[in-house]
Amino acid sequence: MKILIIGAAGMVGAKLTKRLADEGQLNGKTITAIHGFDVVEASMPSSGSISFSASAGDIADQATVEKLVANKPDVIFHLAAIVSGEAEVEFDKGYAINMDGTRYLLEAIRAQGDDYCPRLVFTSSIAVFGAPFPDKIEDDFFLTPLTSYGAQKAIGELLLADYSRKGFVDGVGIRLPTITVRPGKPNKAASGFFSGIIREPLAGQEAILPVSTDVRHWVASPAAAVGFLMHAATMETAKLGARRNLTMPGLSITVGEMIEALKRVAGDKTASLIRHEPDEAIIRIVDGWPRNFDASRAEEVGFKADADFDSIIRAHIADEEQAGRLAKAG
């Protein structure tokens, strides 16, 4: 089995690569090769049984994408995207990467001919939905995104469904919750503070909270995200019918509840490093995001959520301690 990971240098891409390397098989088939692609070259594991390779380039370049698909990988994970805050500011760049890049990938697959139909796992977003919202949003709630990023992901979902209907790909689109807690440095996502208010205090650093503590959001851990990807790559897609895009399970939690969980796990002194500094641009973006979901359809076909936010924080601490990145905070 050959696997292509587009967006392999990102946090989720790196964790997915490691999981695949550790398991050595997918859906009962031995993995023979994994190629990681991103705008910068990903660091790939070493394994005696799997051939690892990596390349860097622009997914908005059609020739580059065609080259990636030329060796007909059996499973393709499409994780690459310009994130929400950047896509809102960099309008042309957002559409080039998030929309054109996705269509170039689908067209490159189609160009390989009728004997090729890979499993394509597409990472979408809950940003495809826009206010006003019901108390819980179901999968059949209409797509009216209120950000450019959400619009681009909604277009990707429609393309994935249509190309799957035509038999060009066997697609599964997973609408990821906001992944929290992200390790490493902050990115340009408008949702980055959800991780920052946990990650930075745990490292003994001040964190800026740009929204009020009553903001509610839908989150999942990095480990849960990798689990979603693995299941999407191996599940029986006949269960999905024509509706190839699903909202992933998550936790509906307020910022205040997140901070209380941080206090329970790491103490009041750690939580005191959070400083409230309202940012009107972030507030406007977040106000248009959904807050709670009925993910029963995803759960019925085998996707699983985190147990609670305390366990997400503890898992982050364990990962950071293992990596030697966590400062001793009281």
Side-chain angles (χ1 to χ4, degrees):
M1 174 174 282
K2 296 177 292 185
I3 295 173
L4 170 62
I5 303 175
I6 301 175
M11 181 272 293
V12 174
K15 288 182 176 292
L16 173 62
T17 302
K18 184 180 185 304
R19 172 83 175 267
L20 291 166
D22 289 345
E23 297 196 2
Q25 62 86 34
L26 188 66
N27 207 23
K29 297 180 180 179
T30 299
I31 299 171
T32 56
I34 298 177
H35 183 78
F37 174 82
D38 213 317
V39 67
V40 296
E41 191 167 305
S43 176
M44 304 297 283
S46 58
S47 171
S49 60
I50 300 175
S51 173
F52 290 96
S53 58
S55 62
D58 184 0
I59 194 175
D61 178 72
Q62 189 169 2
T64 297
V65 178
E66 289 171 351
K67 185 177 179 181
L68 288 174
V69 177
N71 70 339
K72 296 184 178 181
D74 301 286
V75 177
I76 300 172
F77 294 95
H78 179 18
L79 317 179
I82 295 297
V83 292
S84 53
E86 188 174 3
E88 196 67 16
V89 175
E90 300 285 347
F91 187 82
D92 292 332
K93 185 178 181 181
Y95 272 92
I97 300 297
N98 296 341
M99 184 186 75
D100 295 339
T102 298
R103 184 166 182 267
Y104 290 155
L105 174 61
L106 289 163
E107 278 296 285
I109 293 168
R110 184 169 77 98
Q112 296 299 316
D114 294 340
D115 62 338
Y116 181 53
C117 182
R119 173 65 55 88
L120 175 59
V121 180
F122 171 64
T123 52
S124 186
S125 168
I126 56 175
V128 298
F129 301 110
F133 301 117
D135 290 339
K136 280 191 175 183
I137 298 170
E138 299 183 357
D139 273 359
D140 56 2
F141 187 71
F142 47 84
L143 306 187
T144 52
L146 296 178
T147 63
S148 296
Y149 176 73
Q152 293 148 15
K153 286 296 186 179
I155 292 168
E157 288 194 7
L158 292 172
L159 289 171
L160 182 78
D162 196 37
Y163 279 65
S164 294
R165 180 183 65 84
K166 297 288 286 185
F168 303 136
V169 299
D170 185 14
V172 181
I174 57 174
R175 299 184 190 113
L176 292 177
T178 291
I179 304 305
T180 307
V181 180
R182 284 181 173 271
K185 297 179 180 180
N187 62 19
K188 295 182 180 181
S191 60
F193 69 88
F194 288 111
S195 287
I197 61 172
I198 306 298
R199 179 185 59 234
E200 269 68 86
L202 286 171
Q205 301 169 9
E206 185 180 74
I208 302 300
L209 174 61
V211 301
S212 69
T213 56
D214 62 358
V215 165
R216 178 173 291 277
H217 200 49
W218 188 247
V219 303
S221 69
V226 172
F228 298 155
L229 290 163
M230 294 288 287
H231 185 63
T234 58
M235 68 175 294
E236 176 53 62
T237 52
K239 297 178 180 178
L240 300 179
R243 298 173 61 198
R244 292 296 181 120
N245 300 282
L246 307 95
T247 300
M248 293 295 97
L251 300 175
S252 179
I253 187 169
T254 67
V255 170
E257 289 168 343
M258 292 172 66
I259 294 172
E260 288 303 312
L262 179 63
K263 290 178 181 179
R264 287 193 296 272
V265 174
D268 290 351
K269 184 179 178 181
T270 297
S272 70
L273 290 169
I274 300 170
R275 179 162 58 88
H276 190 210
E277 191 175 291
D279 184 320
E280 292 302 322
I282 298 296
I283 291 169
R284 283 195 300 272
I285 292 174
V286 174
D287 280 349
W289 285 348
R291 298 165 177 81
N292 197 8
F293 291 87
D294 177 357
S296 56
R297 181 168 173 252
E299 292 168 345
E300 287 168 1
V301 294
F303 291 96
K304 297 180 180 179
D306 299 286
D308 52 56
F309 199 74
D310 292 44
S311 63
I312 291 178
I313 296 175
R314 292 191 180 98
H316 173 73
I317 292 172
D319 287 347
E320 292 295 278
E321 286 178 342
Q322 185 176 11
R325 291 191 295 258
L326 192 63
K328 295 297 182 182

